[in-house]
Amino acid sequence: MQIKLDKEKRILTIRDRGIGMTKEDLIKNLGTIAKSGTSAFVEKMQTSGDLNLIGQFGVGFYSVYLVADNVEVISKHNDDKQHVWESKADGSFVVSEDTYNEPLGRGTEIRLHLREEAGEYLEESKLKELVKRYSEFINFPIYIWSTKEVDVEVPADEEEESSESSSSEEETEEDAEKTEDEDAEKKPKTKTVKETNSEWELLNDVKAIWLRNPKEVTEEEYTKFYQTLAKDFSEDKPLSWSHFTAEGDVEFKAVLFVPPKAPHDLYESYYNANKSNLKLYVRRVFISDEFDELLPKYLNFLKGLVDSDTLPLNVSREMLQQHSSLKTIKKKLIRKALDMIRKLAEEDPDESNDKEKKADVEKSDDDEKRGQYTRFWNEFGKSIKLGIIEDAANRNRLAKLLRFESTKSDGKLTSLDQYISRMKSGQKDIFYLTGTSKEQLDNSPFLERLKKKGYEVIFFTDPVDEYLMQYLMDYEDKKFQNVSKEGLKLGKDSKDKELKESYKELTKWWKGALASDNVDDVKLSNRLADTPCVVVTSKFGWSANMEKIMQSQTLSDSAKQAYMRGKRVLEINPRHPIIKELRERVVKNPEDESVKHTAQLIYQTALMESGFALPDPKDFASRIYSSVKSSLNINPDATVEEEDDTEEPAEAETPANEATPEAESANADSQKDEL
């Protein structure tokens, strides 16, 4: 197929070397709209309901009149002479034998006499863009008559040479001294001029590699194809790709790529943006790249294409969206995409859980794959978490792709399968803790007893992790347990009952003292080792970290959030000396104000250390200062020394009409500058 422009006459010519049409074909296929293929297409649709009818009718031909006011179709069939069909879309057309145009030999040529407002289609760049967008992978070659300006070396004119040589004898002498090579002197002088060259330029030179056998396509070809498809010409190769053919009720071919880097705006307006990086082709003809139905939002970072022979080349995008085949295609694409990501992890030597296997891989020369899944996770890990929230059907598959740090991961990422392989015998739950950073979580008092007993705890530091754990309730028959909430079980101690009885009076008294602070209960803790006490929340309420996230929302309503806040429970460490001493003092005198003051200060400190925001920071600061006074033996009633209020005499001001010598000098200098 050949495309040619004539800007002066405003004609766009498209020519092919097909079988052509006879006079009868021109009348039958390109007649008035009432007799055109559009009418036949609608009639056939009403009887059979089969959408795969496009191409059998002349649907779409009359769309040329959106940009052209006159159309000529010149065609030559082997069984007939060359004829011209012409119409101005005025309800009539003319078909006549062509005796004045260039003989085609065989094929069809369409000439569009473009309207004034369709001038953009006379631009070579616009036509190239359209062809590359919609017909880049068509099997037959598409050429455009391209005009370019090139620099050409031509011999300099003799007159110019003589004038230049006679202009200055001194310049000639200098040139002679500089020129030492005699051969160089013999070379004729040239000059550079611009020439306009025209030639046929091939537009669809990228091959449709998805039509080939994956075993026959090289890594370099996949990389080049990805760069063309994604318009990404950086040196980074895609992290992974999947090239497959689906067979069955719906047949299609697809190539999916994992980009090396995430776009900077990948998660901006995540739920509002209708953005897809997957292109839909039907029989190698580009249909659209706006089909969100092909992949769920959490996989919108993948790039690639789908080419189906089952879907129709439809005149309506809405009709195609309702096509039953799309659901089948989407289901298969999700499965293949997740398998591709899983394979990315399996091929990474750092992800291996078998030490012997890891040693074997280290000896191999496949170092390129080392750390590849970590790179993927750092770029697209949030998408996997969003998938667990959104895609209940594939939640378990996505959970296998989760990565995180833990108390035993030594700063590296680990998986849930690796965590389970390291679980202690008798451990039924998967322990985790949420917060803002690994360093903060690693020093959390909630981990003290767990660390001493050798339990591993997962660190979740991404804000989306709080939402994630509301949906990921279990994995491989193991329940998830937030160690900052109620319900933590670490085995029973034989002395638990005795301790509980001995602290019964203190817990009852302390619960009453904290009634105004909305503390639901005071209990003995099984999670503390070195800290006097912590504040935990109910199992199904918000954690301290979740409260912070919700309070930081722009449109948050604290009144409506109150019902989601978990009930707070103060857990005390019965083995800590501070708690022991407090118990003794409460037993002696439960109405002692100093004891109440100390108990309140301990609670506020535990509240802050547990990650909660203090409701009254001023009250907490006052209690701290009172404790400081006591430790420094300062009288509690001592007051702050009052400031001396004696006013100093004001300095004499210079009258406005009296200028200082410095001011006069400055004014004089500025006047000089102006002059």
Side-chain angles (χ1 to χ4, degrees):
M1 180 176 287
Q2 296 174 333
I3 303 171
K4 200 169 186 178
L5 293 169
D6 188 337
K7 291 187 178 181
E8 293 181 0
K9 296 181 180 180
R10 302 184 64 82
I11 296 176
L12 171 60
T13 303
I14 305 172
R15 181 173 179 176
D16 69 27
R17 299 292 183 182
I19 62 173
M21 288 182 283
T22 63
K23 181 179 179 179
E24 183 182 349
D25 292 335
L26 288 171
I27 296 172
K28 179 181 176 182
N29 296 329
L30 304 179
T32 57
I33 292 180
K35 297 292 184 181
S36 73
T38 304
S39 175
F41 175 77
V42 174
E43 291 175 5
K44 191 71 175 177
M45 269 293 300
Q46 291 174 349
T47 56
S48 69
D50 185 10
L51 291 175
N52 196 14
L53 298 171
I54 236 27
Q56 301 177 26
F57 305 95
V59 181
F61 172 75
Y62 279 87
S63 64
V64 295
Y65 289 103
L66 294 173
V67 295
D69 49 21
N70 185 21
V71 177
E72 296 176 75
V73 180
I74 307 163
S75 191
K76 173 67 173 71
H77 192 280
N78 286 342
D79 298 338
D80 201 349
K81 296 180 180 179
Q82 184 166 310
H83 288 84
V84 179
W85 179 97
E86 186 174 1
S87 176
K88 295 183 179 179
D90 54 1
S92 64
F93 63 92
V94 177
V95 179
S96 60
E97 185 178 340
D98 186 9
T99 58
Y100 48 88
N101 286 309
E102 174 190 354
L104 296 180
R106 191 190 68 189
T108 302
E109 180 175 298
I110 301 176
R111 294 178 183 174
L112 308 182
H113 297 261
L114 297 176
R115 299 172 179 267
E116 288 294 330
E117 60 269 23
E120 62 176 324
Y121 297 105
L122 289 171
E123 297 297 328
E124 188 179 310
S125 58
K126 178 65 175 178
L127 295 178
K128 287 181 178 180
E129 176 192 341
L130 290 173
V131 172
K132 284 188 175 292
R133 180 174 175 81
Y134 292 98
S135 303
E136 188 173 18
F137 304 109
I138 294 294
N139 272 352
F140 52 81
I142 302 175
Y143 292 90
I144 189 169
W145 187 248
S146 179
T147 302
K148 298 178 182 177
E149 282 191 348
V150 295
D151 293 333
V152 180
E153 294 284 338
V154 298
D157 294 339
E158 294 181 0
E159 294 180 1
E160 292 180 4
E161 291 181 10
S162 60
S163 62
E164 290 176 1
S165 60
S166 60
S167 61
S168 175
E169 293 181 0
E170 294 178 0
E171 291 180 4
T172 308
E173 291 176 1
E174 290 176 3
D175 292 339
E177 290 175 1
K178 292 179 182 178
T179 309
E180 297 178 356
D181 190 0
E182 295 180 358
D183 295 335
E185 291 179 359
K186 294 179 182 179
K187 290 182 178 179
K189 291 186 177 181
T190 60
K191 63 179 181 179
T192 303
V193 297
K194 290 189 177 294
E195 284 188 0
T196 302
N197 287 348
S198 297
E199 60 182 1
W200 290 109
E201 180 183 341
L202 180 63
L203 297 180
N204 55 339
D205 56 341
V206 180
K207 302 301 180 184
I209 66 170
W210 67 86
L211 301 177
R212 295 162 55 188
N213 188 331
K215 296 179 180 179
E216 299 174 357
V217 186
T218 64
E219 183 176 314
E220 290 74 16
E221 287 177 313
Y222 279 121
T223 302
K224 182 182 177 182
F225 182 75
Y226 165 77
Q227 292 173 341
T228 303
L229 189 71
K231 302 297 184 286
D232 178 7
F233 298 99
S234 62
E235 295 181 358
D236 297 328
K237 297 189 298 184
L239 290 176
S240 184
W241 54 79
S242 178
H243 179 186
F244 60 93
T245 300
E247 297 178 349
D249 296 338
V250 179
E251 295 185 0
F252 66 91
K253 296 178 175 63
V255 182
L256 301 177
F257 293 95
V258 178
K261 292 182 180 178
H264 67 280
D265 59 345
L266 179 59
Y267 302 109
E268 293 179 10
S269 303
Y270 175 79
Y271 288 103
N272 297 327
N274 294 322
K275 185 179 180 182
S276 174
N277 291 315
L278 209 60
K279 296 184 178 182
L280 176 63
Y281 287 77
V282 176
R283 293 188 285 278
R284 295 178 298 283
V285 176
F286 175 70
I287 301 300
S288 177
D289 56 2
E290 298 178 357
F291 277 101
D292 299 329
E293 294 80 6
L294 288 176
L295 277 179
K297 280 186 178 293
Y298 69 90
L299 289 176
N300 64 1
F301 64 90
L302 296 176
K303 298 183 184 292
L305 60 81
V306 177
D307 186 0
S308 174
D309 290 338
T310 308
L311 294 174
L313 273 166
N314 207 352
V315 290
S316 169
R317 178 174 177 265
E318 287 72 20
M319 291 174 69
L320 186 55
Q321 283 179 317
Q322 298 172 7
H323 201 276
S324 59
S325 299
L326 278 181
K327 294 182 179 179
T328 306
I329 292 176
K330 180 178 180 179
K331 187 176 181 181
K332 291 183 178 180
L333 284 175
I334 293 174
R335 188 178 72 250
K336 287 292 185 179
L338 297 183
D339 287 344
M340 172 177 61
I341 298 172
R342 176 183 53 79
K343 187 178 178 182
L344 190 69
E346 290 176 351
E347 292 177 348
D348 187 348
D350 292 342
E351 290 286 319
S352 176
N353 199 30
D354 188 345
K355 293 183 179 180
E356 294 181 2
K357 182 180 177 182
K358 191 170 182 179
D360 293 339
V361 175
E362 285 176 354
K363 293 177 182 178
S364 68
D365 56 353
D366 199 9
D367 290 335
E368 286 187 11
K369 295 182 178 180
R370 185 175 302 281
Q372 63 181 6
Y373 194 76
T374 301
R375 292 197 299 273
F376 166 81
W377 184 257
N378 291 336
E379 296 289 337
F380 307 106
K382 195 185 294 287
S383 293
I384 302 299
K385 296 175 181 179
L386 290 169
I388 293 175
I389 295 171
E390 299 170 9
D391 191 352
N394 294 291
R395 188 164 290 155
N396 193 57
R397 287 184 179 181
L398 288 161
K400 289 183 178 293
L401 303 175
L402 274 178
R403 295 296 182 270
F404 41 79
E405 291 188 55
S406 72
T407 53
K408 292 186 177 181
S409 65
D410 297 326
K412 296 180 180 179
L413 295 178
T414 188
S415 66
L416 287 174
D417 289 329
Q418 291 171 337
Y419 177 95
I420 291 176
S421 69
R422 295 192 292 262
M423 286 176 64
K424 293 185 65 176
S425 59
Q427 181 181 345
K428 297 180 180 179
D429 297 334
I430 298 174
F431 300 130
Y432 73 93
L433 185 61
T434 60
T436 55
S437 68
K438 178 196 170 185
E439 291 73 20
Q440 175 222 340
L441 296 180
D442 204 20
N443 296 319
S444 172
F446 295 109
L447 303 183
E448 291 176 355
R449 194 84 176 274
L450 290 160
K451 283 183 176 180
K452 280 194 172 183
K453 291 200 168 191
Y455 289 102
E456 184 175 5
V457 181
I458 295 170
F459 295 146
F460 284 127
T461 56
D462 193 338
V464 77
D465 292 334
E466 286 284 358
Y467 301 92
L468 167 71
M469 298 315 295
Q470 294 176 22
Y471 291 86
L472 190 63
M473 307 300 293
D474 57 79
Y475 179 78
E476 300 292 342
D477 298 327
K478 305 286 184 183
K479 299 288 184 181
F480 284 93
Q481 172 63 51
N482 189 333
V483 298
S484 69
K485 291 186 176 184
E486 284 187 309
L488 180 66
K489 297 177 182 178
L490 300 177
K492 292 184 178 181
D493 193 332
S494 58
K495 298 181 180 180
D496 282 352
K497 289 184 178 180
E498 297 177 11
L499 281 171
K500 188 175 182 179
E501 191 64 30
S502 63
Y503 278 90
K504 187 175 182 179
E505 188 174 350
L506 173 64
T507 55
K508 184 178 179 181
W509 173 86
W510 210 341
K511 180 181 178 181
L514 297 176
S516 60
D517 293 285
N518 296 320
V519 175
D520 189 61
D521 201 0
V522 179
K523 297 179 179 179
L524 299 189
S525 178
N526 65 339
R527 72 187 83 207
L528 296 176
D530 304 318
T531 302
C533 53
V534 289
V535 178
V536 301
T537 56
S538 57
K539 192 167 186 178
F540 299 104
W542 285 346
S543 65
N545 188 52
M546 188 62 173
E547 280 192 25
K548 287 181 181 177
I549 293 172
M550 297 308 296
Q551 288 169 1
S552 64
Q553 300 296 319
T554 306
L555 303 177
S556 63
D557 186 345
S558 57
K560 293 181 180 180
Q561 292 175 3
Y563 74 96
M564 280 302 298
R565 292 194 181 97
K567 294 180 179 180
R568 295 175 182 176
V569 176
L570 177 65
E571 289 193 358
I572 60 176
N573 184 356
R575 297 172 179 80
H576 199 280
I578 292 177
I579 303 300
K580 286 183 177 181
E581 181 63 25
L582 189 64
R583 180 186 60 176
E584 298 298 328
R585 296 201 179 194
V586 168
V587 170
K588 288 180 182 178
N589 185 9
E591 300 299 324
D592 188 348
E593 289 298 324
S594 64
V595 175
K596 291 182 179 179
H597 169 84
T598 303
Q600 184 68 26
L601 182 60
I602 292 173
Y603 167 72
Q604 290 178 330
T605 305
L607 194 69
M608 186 170 58
E609 190 177 20
S610 301
F612 294 94
L614 292 174
D616 189 356
K618 179 67 176 176
D619 179 65
F620 174 71
S622 298
R623 294 180 188 278
I624 290 291
Y625 293 143
S626 297
S627 297
V628 172
K629 283 182 181 180
S630 177
S631 65
L632 296 176
N633 296 322
I634 298 174
N635 189 341
D637 299 326
T639 59
V640 179
E641 183 179 342
E642 294 186 3
E643 187 179 357
D644 188 3
D645 293 336
T646 305
E647 295 184 0
E648 296 182 3
E651 295 182 1
E653 296 182 359
T654 304
N657 57 352
E658 294 183 12
T660 62
E662 292 80 6
E664 291 180 357
S665 175
N667 290 335
D669 291 340
S670 64
Q671 290 175 2
K672 289 179 182 179
D673 292 340
E674 291 177 2
L675 294 173

